[in-house]
Amino acid sequence: MTAEQRQNLQAFRDYVRKTLDPTYILSYMSPWLQDDEVQYIQAEKNNKGPMEAASLFLQYLLQIQTDGWFQAFLDALYHAGYCGLYEAIKSWDFQKIEKLEEHRLLLRRLQPEFKARINPTDILSEMSECLINQECEEIRQICFTKGMMAGAEKMVECLLRSDKENWPKVLKFALEKEDNKFSELWIVDEGFKRLESKAVEDDGMEMSSIQIFIQEEPECQVLSQNPCLPSEESCNNLHSTLKPRNYQLELALPAQKGKNTIICAPTGCGKTFVSLLICEHHLKNFPHGQKGKVVFFANQIPVYEQQATVFSRHFERLGYSVAGVSGVTTENVSVQHIIEINDIIILTPQILVNNLNNGTIPSLSVFTLMIFDECHNTSKHHPYNQIMFRYLDQKLGESPDPLPQVIGLTASVGVGDAKTVDEAMLHICKLCAALDVSVIATVKDNVEELEQVVYKPQKIFRKVESRTTNTFKSIISQLMRETEKLAKNVSEELGNLFQIQNREFGTQKYEQWIVAVHKACMVFQMPDKEEESRICRVLFLYTSHLRKYNDALIISEDAQMKDALNYLKAFFRNVREAAFDETEKGLTRNFEEKLEELEKVSMDPSNENPKLRDLYLILQEEYHLKPETKTILFVKTRALVDALKKWIEENPALSFLKPGILTGRGKTNQATGMTLPAQKYALEAFRASGDNNILIATSVADEGIDIAQCNLVILYEYVGNVIKMIQTRGRGRARDSKCFLLTSNADVIEKEKANMFKEKIMHESISGLQAWDEMKFEKMVHGIQLNEKFIRDSQHKPQPVPDKENKKLLCGKCKAFACYTADIRVVEKSHYTVLGKAFKERFVSKLHPKPKSYDSFEKKAKIFCAIQNCRHDWGIHVKYKMFEIPVIKIESFVVEDIASGVQSRHSKWKDFHFERVEFDPAEMSH
């Protein structure tokens, strides 16, 4: 360190004292500090606060004479997340931190109001980008252990030290999003508005937009939407008979003129065929000696496969080369080579994001046309948006490299949270800005022709009553209250976690609370490690049981009581087969004492669910009027899919229905999803079989499945946003089709009516924007792009640097030591094993109930914590090539920092930034 640097650090020490909590970087600086100095700094923070601790830290730091400590200090700031302070010290320019002083002053004045009005957990996800990770964890724990006011006080303390220049504006956005009255007191730059809201996903719920395509005609006709004989021969001769309808030519025209365009038209009108017209025109009209290169993005594998087939059939006969790459095939091919040698490339978007990030594809200038299917997804952190960030950085950075033309396809651009036409226009402008679009193409001149192809089904709302008395819920609720009481008495310190206001059993809100309590228990620490292990293990059991009881109440609310009871009986069977310690014996005994009464209640015909009675009447009436009816029944969860299938099969009066099921591929806390082959088989059975006339489905937007014709859609306690409503209603496209919304909740009907209103203002907004002068529209879009880029750049986070310090993995249930991170190896990029004989002694194995092979792996057994009264699920045992190895899942463990003893948990390996070492077969011989 130079004398000038030492002098500067002395001069700017006040900025460091006000910003830095040195305990967050001690683990990085331990090579440069004595052990007793580290302890003194920690004690100074505990006794006098972070500012005094920072003073002591700087005193020790400036006394170091060994070279290299200054760079180590900068690296520690960067790794710990103090990016603003890192940049300020690196350049000796503290203006950005200085400008925050007026906001700090305001926050200090408003601190009493902040504590009274703010629930920190409501805004923490938004504010996390402005805080250190450890601060977020501390705020959560204080909220759970000491209450929300104490948590709010901690958040104020952290914000007053934040070195992120955008934290005042992020706080404003977070408050406005929650509609918190404190936002009226928190005054920042009025011209700076957030145009983005955060999606909330309920654990175990599949609530994303539906992208199921219902086709009234054979697939070969959907491309052109023209009549042709429904024979195999006519499908094979499709390419020689393609003739676009007038409305399709209208939709394609702006794009064929070279404009970046969003094509917004109803599901089933042939947007894929419109994209073929645009693509063919684009490739044919390049000057002699030049060639175009088109990329078509499909969100998910089934859509990717469908579009790859369609494009290949159409373009290969014209002499163009077509190829596709998805996550399934990317391991076996060079994406760069595929793009170089083909004219048209079909991609899942994450493939391109990965190749742009690793430099394999230098820029988007390799393409001349990009087509985004379901382009309304271009927001937040979606791969579409990540691709367009690259595009816009290139455009706004005035790069000389040419940019591709951009086309978006969607049935609905949506309106977000807009309540007025003006707000909706702003939302749509934001989407246009994200895609750099200058034209929104809709059908205006050929509406009558479009209406002959796409029929709008009749929408019917059915409000049904819930059970007037519910003895089943009363019994389960009593069991839950008793379990909560037991949990509360386990630990005085953690008992506060169970002081929850306005909770209601059998709701998603209760589920989310239980998940939060569960996570807090996992990282709870005590000086007495044996007692810590006992408390964590017991609370893990109590919260797991509460979660299952809550699941059962949700099932009984929408299905039969016996389905909910069977769900609980299966759970307790599994409990008996596992460790089954004294705590579990007590919980099982409590349940079994009520089992006879629960059996009696669930079999009582007077407890029939009124919703099922109404669903029965709808099905009976519709199939009586039209026996050839094809139905899709949408429900919220996979558990409900299984329950309703069983109800139909057991009901003699519905024996004419042969239900199929369709659920997503992802895994939830309740179940593993369907495989892609299983989905395809279910859909093929629904298409081909006259008997299989009803399909029970969750929202499968993530799969983008193509479904045969249907004329009846039933939404069973199922509602979403305006995009979902438009797409769901578009499933019933046959003449005289109907769409029922069946619910016991008046709010659900009101929400669906609100969606209908939003659809209306969406169409009005699009018409309003289309009437704008072209220059006005482009100016608006450009302004949004500049604003968004400013936000993006100011919120830019450096790539996390792997922590090279060795850490412990502890069992997430009993806190028993499992392994060190130094012993973990990465197998084929995404699987994690542990080396050494010692680890094998820390788990026990049990034959896997569903052994199977995939890629180079043969799944053979499940592995569990070896502690007798724990038996927590740690992962699986596999045969990999010639090796027998364990494969662990990080969500089953707690990570402990060896130096500080601080514990953390991670739900995914990608969120755990430790130094990864590739699996080397040579190590196995040692």
Side-chain angles (χ1 to χ4, degrees), residues 541 544-545 548 568-581 583-588 813 871:
L541 295 173
S544 296
H545 281 68
K548 291 297 178 181
L568 286 175
K569 285 160 71 175
F571 167 68
F572 280 100
R573 272 198 305 273
N574 292 334
V575 167
R576 281 184 171 279
E577 292 170 6
F580 205 54
D581 66 5
T583 302
E584 288 173 308
K585 286 177 183 176
L587 289 168
T588 304
K813 182 176 177 182
R871 294 295 194 262

Side-chain angles (χ1 to χ4, degrees), residues 548-686:
K548 291 297 178 181
Y549 281 136
N550 195 63
D551 288 344
L553 290 179
I554 291 173
I555 293 168
S556 74
E557 174 63 27
D558 293 332
Q560 301 177 100
M561 287 178 178
K562 69 175 183 179
D563 296 318
L565 183 57
N566 288 336
Y567 177 82
L568 286 175
K569 285 160 71 175
F571 167 68
F572 280 100
R573 272 198 305 273
N574 292 334
V575 167
R576 281 184 171 279
E577 292 170 6
F580 205 54
D581 66 5
E582 288 305 313
T583 302
E584 288 173 308
K585 286 177 183 176
L587 289 168
T588 304
R589 191 162 50 247
N590 292 346
F591 172 72
E592 289 178 344
E593 285 172 0
K594 300 290 184 182
L595 185 55
E596 186 178 345
E597 189 179 358
L598 287 168
E599 294 271 19
K600 184 179 177 182
V601 169
S602 66
M603 299 307 291
D604 186 342
S606 66
N607 288 323
E608 182 188 3
N609 195 328
K611 297 179 192 176
L612 292 178
R613 193 160 54 241
D614 218 54
L615 177 59
Y616 165 78
L617 292 173
I618 290 171
L619 291 171
Q620 277 281 20
E621 182 178 351
E622 294 302 319
Y623 279 89
H624 175 74
L625 294 172
K626 196 171 184 179
E628 68 276 16
T629 288
K630 284 271 191 179
T631 303
I632 301 181
L633 173 59
F634 284 110
V635 299
K636 289 182 292 191
T637 65
R638 295 174 187 174
L640 198 49
V641 168
D642 296 332
L644 290 183
K645 181 176 186 287
K646 190 175 180 184
W647 170 75
I648 289 174
E649 289 172 337
E650 291 177 350
N651 193 324
L654 296 176
S655 60
F656 61 91
L657 293 176
K658 306 295 179 189
I661 66 170
L662 182 68
T663 67
R665 297 206 308 278
K667 184 178 179 181
T668 70
N669 66 297
Q670 291 179 9
T672 302
M674 292 179 79
T675 62
L676 186 59
Q679 287 179 333
K680 289 182 175 179
Y681 178 83
L683 290 166
E684 195 52 45
F686 188 60

Side-chain angles (χ1 to χ4, degrees), residues 518 521-522 532-541 544 578-581 584 810-816 865 869-874 891-894:
H518 200 149
C521 293
M522 285 183 73
E532 176 188 318
S533 174
R534 183 193 72 81
I535 288 172
C536 290
R537 184 171 61 249
V538 171
L539 284 175
F540 184 97
L541 295 173
S544 296
F580 205 54
D581 66 5
E584 288 173 308
L810 312 179
C811 174
K813 182 176 177 182
C814 72
K815 296 289 187 79
C865 175
N869 58 354
C870 177
R871 294 295 194 262
H872 187 38
D873 181 357
W874 282 5
E891 63 263 35
S892 296
F893 300 91
V894 171

Side-chain angles (χ1 to χ4, degrees), residues 95-111 114 127 155-172 182 185-190 192:
Q95 288 186 46
K96 290 180 179 177
I97 293 179
E98 179 65 37
K99 287 177 182 176
L100 292 170
E101 196 54 39
E102 63 182 287
H103 298 294
R104 290 179 179 142
L105 181 61
L106 178 61
L107 187 56
R108 286 190 189 98
R109 289 176 181 172
L110 295 175
Q111 184 170 1
F114 189 98
M127 297 306 301
M155 180 175 277
V156 169
E157 176 192 322
C158 296
L159 288 174
L160 290 173
R161 284 201 311 274
S162 177
D163 62 343
K164 311 301 185 293
E165 62 176 318
N166 63 326
W167 75 256
K169 292 172 182 176
V170 174
L171 177 57
K172 180 75 171 176
F182 187 85
L185 303 174
W186 187 245
I187 302 166
V188 292
D189 180 7
E190 289 299 318
F192 197 92

Side-chain angles (χ1 to χ4, degrees), residues 258-445:
K259 301 278 189 184
N260 285 5
T261 308
I262 288 177
I263 294 168
C264 183
T267 298
C269 71
K271 288 189 292 294
T272 298
F273 180 57
V274 173
S275 69
L276 293 179
L277 295 174
I278 294 166
C279 189
E280 186 174 332
H281 180 274
H282 179 83
L283 292 171
K284 283 182 175 178
N285 283 274
F286 263 81
H288 183 67
Q290 296 182 31
K291 285 188 70 176
K293 192 174 293 289
V294 177
V295 60
F296 185 103
F297 297 111
N299 258 316
Q300 298 296 337
I301 302 298
V303 179
Y304 153 82
E305 291 179 342
Q306 178 182 309
Q307 302 298 9
T309 302
V310 168
F311 272 76
S312 294
R313 285 177 181 170
H314 181 74
F315 283 103
E316 286 178 356
R317 70 184 178 88
L318 299 174
Y320 295 104
S321 54
V322 181
V325 187
S326 70
V328 175
T329 61
T330 187
E331 291 292 322
N332 307 316
V333 298
S334 163
V335 176
Q336 182 184 18
H337 182 64
I338 291 291
I339 290 174
E340 283 176 359
I341 65 171
N342 288 284
D343 302 305
I344 302 166
I345 304 95
I346 317 296
L347 291 178
T348 45
Q350 190 62 49
I351 298 297
L352 183 59
V353 171
N354 295 345
N355 281 270
L356 287 167
N357 288 343
N358 65 27
T360 306
I361 307 300
S363 81
L364 296 173
S365 296
V366 298
F367 304 112
T368 58
L369 174 64
M370 299 194 300
I371 304 175
F372 293 84
D373 193 30
E374 306 297 346
C375 70
H376 53 264
N377 290 302
T378 313
S379 65
K380 301 166 191 153
H381 299 294
H382 192 279
Y384 280 0
N385 223 17
Q386 293 181 51
I387 291 167
M388 287 307 298
F389 287 164
R390 294 270 187 160
Y391 175 104
L392 291 168
D393 286 346
Q394 196 172 325
K395 174 192 173 183
L396 299 174
E398 298 182 354
S399 166
D401 296 329
L403 286 166
Q405 184 183 357
V406 178
I407 305 299
L409 308 174
T410 183
S412 170
V413 292
V415 297
D417 296 324
K419 296 178 177 63
T420 66
V421 171
D422 285 346
E423 290 174 354
M425 288 169 78
L426 186 60
H427 173 88
I428 296 167
C429 282
K430 186 199 168 189
L431 179 63
C432 293
L435 288 162
D436 197 35
V437 157
S438 59
V439 176
I440 305 170
T442 58
V443 178
K444 293 191 287 185
D445 298 334

